[in-house]
Amino acid sequence: MTLAELALSGDLARPGRLRVPDLLRWPQHRVDVSFECATSGIQRHRFAGPRLYDVLTDAGPGFDPVRRKDRLRFLISVTGTDGHHAVLSWAEIDPDFADAPVLLGVRIDDTPLDTAGPQLVLPQDRCGARHISGITAIRVDGGYRCGAPVPATPGHASAAAP
């Protein structure tokens, strides 16, 4: 049996690779989720797994410790085996801000996801568009700076008003 693996990368002190058995090291949470799927209607599932916040905090995000709000500029990109992507802000998962209970599901309806890979579970989302199956990569990016000049792209409007 080949275990699925995801890569943690970006602005982290401890990037690495994780499999579902590795994700069992963190406290496990259970959540019943109901979301509307555009292709198959309402979906209802029970997931179990660690909170995304716990896993990423252990990886050591590169926040400036002197600036409490520095973490608010960090984005989290998640990619699945089918190429589907979702982006979250650090503020969504941080207990000091929105504290959304976003999970890395390692079980769905009591079925282990060892070979399929963990799933991104956002219980607060009404629509299942940010649900990612078979996560292959999670990237934490603190390079976002609001208000920085953006170079003009041919065929697109300039970021700065004339």
Side-chain angles (χ1 to χ4, degrees), residues 101-146:
V102 177
L103 296 186
L104 294 175
V106 297
R107 297 181 72 81
I108 181 172
D109 302 325
D110 295 322
T111 301
L113 293 169
D114 294 34
T115 57
Q119 297 188 16
L120 183 67
V121 180
L122 296 104
Q124 72 278 11
D125 283 10
R126 183 187 63 80
C127 167
R130 292 197 298 173
H131 179 97
I132 305 288
S133 298
I135 298 171
T136 57
I138 299 174
R139 179 169 179 76
V140 176
D141 188 348
Y144 178 76
R145 300 260 194 253
C146 187

Side-chain angles (χ1 to χ4, degrees), residues 7 11 20 24 28 35 42 53 57 62-63 81 85-86 88 91 108 114-115 124 133 135 142 161-162:
D11 295 322
V20 167
L24 297 174
Q28 300 295 293
F35 58 85
I42 304 239
Y53 175 82
T57 298
F63 307 140
T81 54
H85 299 275
L88 296 90
I108 181 172
D114 294 34
T115 57
Q124 72 278 11
S133 298
I135 298 171

